[in-house]
């Protein structure tokens, strides 16, 4: 029990204050508390890439974060990645492969679908805007290659957001095997 405060003091005794802030349960030693703080710091660092400057998937525009990059992809390039992922029923792993594949092809000024080469980025972007070739068909052989598990752009913030889509890792919508995508991909022509 806490010691009573001296009669001449209007504030509680330090022991009484300390006792009122003690939690129940097993005691925490300083080492455990320090490890918990380090774990919290590690998780805080893990969350940071979501707010890093992010390069658009298909053009050199740098945006404040992945959310803005996905919006830019839709607004400027006419490609709704989320809707396409749902309609193509891409697993987490195939979303990672897609981003890395597209970044690699765009870096080589080559269309990710038809493999046409372009002399400059504006020509490739014009082709992508009119062809709908950002919606890469699932029957292309590159989908089977493990090399696209490796990030094309080191520390790519877009890769931190691909798990946010409403799909399970087995390529089926999380609502169940019988559910159908309700949104078709949107592309500007």
């Amino acid at each position: 029990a806490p010691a009573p405060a001296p009669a001449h003091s209007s504030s509680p005794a330090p022991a009484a204050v300390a006792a009122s802030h003690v939690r129940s349960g097993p005691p925490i030693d300083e080492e455990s508390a320090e490890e918990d703080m380090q774990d919290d710091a590690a998780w805080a660092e893990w969350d940071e890439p979501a707010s890093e400057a992010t390069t658009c998937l298909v053009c050199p525009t740098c945006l404040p974060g992945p959310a803005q990059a996905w919006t830019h992809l839709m607004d400027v390039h006419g490609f709704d990645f989320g809707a396409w992922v749902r309609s193509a029923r891409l697993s987490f792993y195939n979303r990672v492969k897609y981003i890395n594949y597209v970044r690699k092809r765009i870096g080589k000024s080559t269309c990710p679908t038809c493999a046409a080469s372009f002399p400059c980025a504006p020509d490739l972007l014009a082709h992508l805007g009119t062809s709908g070739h950002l919606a890469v068909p699932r029957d292309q052989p590159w989908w089977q290659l493990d090399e696209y598990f490796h990030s094309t752009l080191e520390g790519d913030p877009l890769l931190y957001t691909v798990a946010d889509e409403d799909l399970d890792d087995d390529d089926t919508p999380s609502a169940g095997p019988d559910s159908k995508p309700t949104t078709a991909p949107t592309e500007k022509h």
Side-chain angles (χ1 to χ4, degrees), residues 87-140:
S87 70
R89 301 170 67 127
L90 293 185
S91 69
F92 165 77
Y93 298 106
N94 282 330
R95 287 175 249 160
V96 168
K97 281 182 169 183
Y98 173 82
I99 289 169
N100 290 326
Y101 174 77
V102 169
R103 284 208 189 275
K104 189 169 198 169
R105 301 302 286 191
I106 297 294
K108 293 180 177 183
S109 295
T110 304
C111 175
T113 296
C114 70
S117 292
F118 294 86
C120 60
D123 290 349
L124 173 58
L125 290 174
H127 168 76
L128 292 173
T130 59
S131 67
H133 283 182
L134 282 174
V136 180
R138 296 277 309 269
D139 62 353
Q140 290 193 351

Side-chain angles (χ1 to χ4, degrees), residues 43-90:
W43 280 108
E45 288 175 19
W46 188 80
D47 287 338
E48 283 180 25
S51 62
E52 285 184 6
T54 306
T55 302
C56 172
L57 184 62
V58 298
C59 78
T61 302
C62 190
L63 298 126
Q68 294 86 352
W70 293 125
T71 300
H72 169 87
L73 187 65
M74 172 72 172
D75 294 347
V76 174
H77 303 293
F79 184 67
D80 185 340
F81 177 79
W84 179 69
V85 162
R86 287 185 295 279
S87 70
R89 301 170 67 127
L90 293 185

Side-chain angles (χ1 to χ4, degrees), residues 86 89 166-168 170-181:
R86 287 185 295 279
R89 301 170 67 127
D166 191 28
L167 292 174
D168 296 326
D170 63 355
D171 288 351
T172 58
S174 60
D178 297 326
S179 61
K180 302 277 186 251

